[in-house]
Structure formats: C-alpha cells, structure tokens
Amino acid sequence: FLIGIWGHERRVYAAVKFFLYTFAGSVLMLVAFLVLYKNAGLSTFDIPKLVASPVDPALQTWLFLACALAFAIKVPMWPFHTWLPDAHVEAPTAGSVILAGVLLKMGTYGFLRFAIPFFPDVAFSPAVTTIAVVLAVVGIIYGALVAMVQPDIKKLVAYSSVSHLGFVMLGIWAATLQSVQGALLIMIGHGLSTGALFLLIGMLYERRHTREIAAFGGLARVIPIFSLLLVVTSLASIGLPGLNGFVGEFLVLVGSFERFPWATGIATTGVIFAAAYLLWALQRIIFNRLDQPENAHLSDLSARELWVVLPLVAGMVWLGLYPRPVLDRMDAAARHYIQLVQPGKDKAPATALNRSGAERPQ
C-alpha cells in the first residue's frame, strides 16, 4: 500500500483498492476474534482452547461469516478477487513475488487454521458447503477464462492465481486426506511456480519495459536460457506430470471426487484451460517469428538472475518427482484437521502409506 501511494495514478488506485478490501475484511475478522475471546471466558487467545470452547449456534454463524469474508478476500475467492490483478500489475516485481508466494496463502491458511476449526458446524453445513464449493469451481473456470484473453502477461499470471487457489478451496472443503494434502501442496507449489513466473516477467520487463504479449515473439532464438526457464515454469503452473503443479491438483481432484463428483468434474476442465492460456502465451512470446527489431538484441539471463530463479525451478522438479517427504510431514496435521472439522469421520483412504511404506488401515 505504501509503495502504491507513492506511484502514479494507476498505482495509487490499485493501492487504495487493496487497502479498502483487506481493511474491511480484517476489521470483521478482528471483531469476530474479540467476540470469540469474550464468549469463551478463558482470558486467552490460545487456539486449541478456543476451538474446544462451546459457542452458541446462532453466534457461530455470524462469527464464521465475518472470518470467512476476511479470508475469502485474502485468498482471493471469486467474486472478491478484483483487487488482485491491479495489485499484481502495479506492484514492482518483488511485491508481486511476495504477494504470490506468501500473502495469498494467508487466506487459505486462515480457513484451515481458524475459520473452519473454530466453527466446523457452520462451515460444513449443507448451505455453506454448497456456496463454498460453487465459488471455488466458479473461481477455477472464471480465472482461467479471463486469463486466456489478457494482453498483459503479468495480468494473465495474476488471474491464473485465482484459478489455482480455487483448487485449494475445493480441497479444503472436500476434507479428505488426499484433498487436504493436495491443497497444501498447491499452496507450496503455487508459491514456487507463480513466484518464478513473476521473477521472469520482471526480468523481461527490465529489458523491454513492456509486458504486452504482442510486443514479443521469437525470443527463444535470442535469449534461449530465459525461454527454457519460462517454458519449464509455465509447464509447472499448468500441471505437467513430473513438476509440482501436477501432484497437488491431482490429489485435490482425486480426493474431492469422493464428496463432490459433479463439481470435481467441472473443476477438471480448469486444467485444460490452464494449458490453453499458458501455452498460447508461450507461443506468442517465444515461439512466433522474431518480427520486432527491439527484441533482436536482448541479453540473456545473467549469473545473478539465474541464481535467483534456479532454486525455485529445482523446488518445482523436486516436488513433482519426489513429494513423499512433504506429504509425510503434513500427514499428521491433515488427519488432525479432518478429525477436528468432521469428528468421528475418518476420511483417510484404505491404502494411505505411513512413513515406513506399510499400508495404514482406514
């Protein structure tokens, strides 16, 4: 916000919009937490104690709605997403990377850590479940379709985040072991692949001072290392098997199909749309004819720039080929979440593997 108000008119507009959205949601969340503190009468903000404290059913509904609105803005879920494209486009590269890698996950983390565990009866009521799943699926499809028609590559990646985080919300509400672990993996992988995309876009902008897709073409001939990393990172964002995006989305779709088969079937088309908008963008940026004289003399990535991007690419490959250590690490927390929000219902699959590799009974 402070960076924005010192910029030009469009940046000021984006900063004010971001501030108003997040401020409104955060105030409601703060009020909800204060009411919960007073209602519990425990004189503590200790999360396990507040989770175990009984709350009047009527009050639960209002407190959940306050928290859910705050976190839905931060995710951002459709239709509370409109601040995100402007914030990404007007932010400097470092701001976009931090926003994609860290801040957007505050919303999904808030649902997993606070809103749903505090008020599971409301969160998993039929009406709220239906609304959450519908908004998640709409976000997946809407974000992908709008990304497909963006002339600005940075705004395209921003709208892709709306689509990817829709998968996270679907996995959270499915509340099966696969879907929750898949949602967590998407949160990690999204920070790697989308953060790397914004870094590469920022490096390209420093060379050409434009983000318009139409301003490029044939870059693979001029800056092959940049083009290779852009292709790998885009394929990770699409969900190519062997890279990080595939594992998380696959687990979410497999785990969610058990509870929401129709919604999961519709959400699966988001993977196809992601391939459409990113592959089309790659074709226009690096695989078309080199018909712009300004692009003929661009310099490839420097050693410093490679040191910035390569660790993220290594993380994408590692999560895509060998996610087992991460899945094992989150296994206990995912099972605890499922038991907390749906007590008495073990959603773990009959063949889930423990760390030793032996089958774990359902």
Side-chain angles (χ1 to χ4, degrees):
F1 172 71
L2 292 177
I3 293 173
I5 61 176
W6 288 328
H8 52 75
E9 182 178 347
R10 289 183 59 187
R11 183 169 290 181
V12 172
Y13 167 76
V16 172
K17 192 174 183 180
F18 170 77
F19 175 77
L20 292 177
Y21 259 98
T22 55
F23 178 78
S26 297
V27 167
L28 289 174
M29 179 179 64
L30 176 61
V31 171
F33 286 165
L34 292 176
V35 172
L36 185 64
Y37 171 89
K38 183 177 181 180
N39 176 80
L42 301 175
S43 299
T44 180
F45 280 106
D46 184 78
I47 294 174
K49 292 181 179 179
L50 290 177
V51 168
S53 175
V55 181
D56 180 77
L59 182 61
Q60 273 197 47
T61 302
W62 291 106
L63 296 182
F64 172 79
L65 290 176
C67 291
L69 178 61
F71 295 131
I73 291 172
K74 294 183 186 300
V75 169
M77 290 182 72
W78 183 91
F80 307 107
H81 68 285
T82 55
W83 63 269
L84 180 64
D86 290 327
H88 266 312
V89 169
E90 299 303 329
T93 298
S96 293
V97 173
I98 293 173
L99 186 60
V102 181
L103 296 184
L104 296 186
K105 313 309 182 297
M106 292 173 62
T108 50
Y109 172 81
F111 277 108
L112 280 168
R113 190 77 170 100
F114 302 109
I116 297 176
F118 280 164
F119 319 108
D121 294 337
V122 178
F124 283 94
S125 64
V128 173
T129 298
T130 300
I131 293 172
V133 172
V134 168
L135 292 183
V137 173
V138 170
I140 292 170
I141 305 303
Y142 171 86
L145 291 177
V146 176
M148 200 179 299
V149 298
Q150 294 304 313
D152 185 315
I153 183 61
K154 201 173 185 184
K155 187 169 283 191
L156 181 151
V157 177
Y159 275 107
S160 76
S161 295
V162 177
S163 183
H164 288 309
L165 292 169
F167 283 103
V168 177
M169 298 304 297
L170 179 63
I172 290 173
W173 250 271
T176 64
L177 182 62
Q178 296 105 321
S179 72
V180 174
Q181 288 188 328
L184 293 173
L185 272 179
I186 292 176
M187 290 165 65
I188 298 170
H190 178 267
L192 294 174
S193 55
T194 306
L197 281 174
F198 279 125
L199 283 172
L200 291 169
I201 292 169
M203 295 169 186
L204 187 60
Y205 180 80
E206 290 299 318
R207 289 160 169 77
R208 282 283 279 110
H209 300 290
T210 181
R211 293 185 297 266
E212 294 294 317
I213 296 175
F216 299 103
L219 296 187
R221 303 176 186 177
V222 182
I223 45 177
I225 297 177
F226 169 88
S227 301
L228 174 63
L229 293 178
L230 183 63
V231 168
V232 173
T233 306
S234 298
L235 292 177
S237 184
I238 290 172
L240 182 75
L243 295 171
N244 62 285
F246 173 78
V247 182
E249 290 183 2
F250 179 78
L251 286 173
V252 166
L253 293 173
V254 169
S256 301
F257 187 79
E258 177 184 335
R259 291 199 63 201
F260 313 118
W262 286 103
T264 304
I266 297 172
T268 305
T269 62
V271 180
I272 301 172
F273 293 138
Y277 64 73
L278 277 171
L279 292 179
W280 188 30
L282 286 177
Q283 177 191 0
R284 290 177 288 166
I285 293 173
I286 63 177
F287 291 125
N288 275 353
R289 291 186 304 114
L290 182 62
D291 55 2
Q292 303 266 355
E294 297 88 345
N295 298 325
H297 305 289
L298 297 179
S299 59
D300 214 338
L301 298 185
S302 66
R304 179 178 63 86
E305 290 170 328
L306 285 173
W307 277 110
V308 172
V309 178
L310 285 178
L312 299 178
V313 175
M316 299 175 213
V317 175
W318 175 51
L319 281 180
L321 296 178
Y322 189 56
R324 178 63 176 272
V326 180
L327 291 172
D328 284 343
R329 186 77 177 96
M330 65 177 62
D331 182 83
R335 291 176 182 274
H336 175 72
Y337 167 80
I338 295 166
Q339 288 295 323
L340 188 65
V341 300
Q342 298 193 35
K345 296 182 180 180
D346 188 356
K347 295 293 181 181
T351 59
L353 298 179
N354 59 22
R355 288 190 179 90
S356 66
E359 287 192 355
R360 176 180 295 159
Q362 186 171 7

